[in-house]
Amino acid sequence: YGPTGIFNAKPFQGSQSWGGARPELRAIGYDSKGVAAHIGLLRRFIRIGAVDLLVAELGLYGVRPDLEGLWIAHSVRVMHPVLRELNVPFAFGAVRPALQQHVARFSRHGLATILAGISLRSTLPRALLDKPPTRTEDVVLIVLPIAQPMSEWPAGTIIDRNGPEL
């Protein structure tokens, strides 16, 4: 969709693409102008402290610029029945700290809890000799309780994705 200011993800360069992300499910929203929004889902185990936890990671967010502020929340609401069907304890998505106020609306109606001050460790999607095999980023987490209450989310400020980001 092109650059949209601080809310824009880092652009891909060279041959980088989301094509290799391979989510289990992609939801694409359309309106009269065409593709309006996109979100992907991948079930995986993450580690928080000493706890391995099954989650559905939500990612690959994309919203057409004229719909910013409307469609990510709508996309997550549309995915909620699918998440219940998958019977995962929790779903989560990570955003940069600059987006904390933007995602705060998820917690207004009890749909999700926003956790700030979290570090998320991921493996790089391909091995490079000049870089470490993992990277750690400071993120804001959106956590949706699905089959377990939020009180069951493990305490901790470092999450290991056990793989590359979605």
Side-chain angles (χ1 to χ4, degrees):
Y1 293 125
T4 57
I6 64 166
F7 301 112
N8 194 54
K10 294 178 185 174
F12 290 111
Q13 297 177 1
S15 61
Q16 290 178 308
S17 168
W18 277 352
R22 301 186 187 271
E24 288 181 63
L25 179 86
R26 293 177 192 258
I28 302 171
Y30 297 90
D31 67 7
S32 63
K33 294 180 183 177
V35 174
H38 177 280
I39 190 169
L41 176 147
L42 175 67
R43 283 179 290 184
R44 68 175 353 144
F45 281 92
I46 60 173
R47 179 169 281 237
I48 305 172
V51 177
D52 287 322
L53 181 66
L54 175 65
V55 296
E57 181 174 1
L58 301 173
L60 301 174
Y61 309 115
V63 178
R64 200 172 62 223
D66 62 313
L67 298 172
E68 280 186 2
L70 303 173
W71 276 78
I72 290 179
H74 183 68
S75 299
V76 172
R77 279 189 204 93
V78 167
M79 292 292 270
H80 211 265
V82 174
L83 294 165
R84 283 196 310 267
E85 188 176 307
L86 292 173
N87 200 31
V88 291
F90 300 96
F92 88 99
V95 298
R96 291 169 288 134
L99 294 174
Q100 184 168 351
Q101 294 301 321
H102 184 69
V103 298
R105 69 185 67 161
F106 286 110
S107 62
R108 285 187 204 148
H109 304 291
L111 178 64
T113 298
I114 308 301
L115 302 174
I118 304 292
S119 295
L120 188 57
R121 184 181 305 122
S122 308
T123 59
L124 294 178
R126 56 191 165 101
L128 301 171
L129 295 176
D130 61 334
K131 295 191 179 193
T134 61
R135 78 166 171 236
T136 302
E137 300 174 285
D138 292 331
V139 298
V140 172
L141 223 56
I142 305 163
V143 180
L144 294 90
I146 306 299
Q148 290 185 0
M150 192 61 204
S151 61
E152 297 293 320
W153 181 263
T157 58
I158 299 176
I159 296 175
D160 193 337
R161 255 193 185 116
N162 294 316
E165 72 179 298
L166 175 61

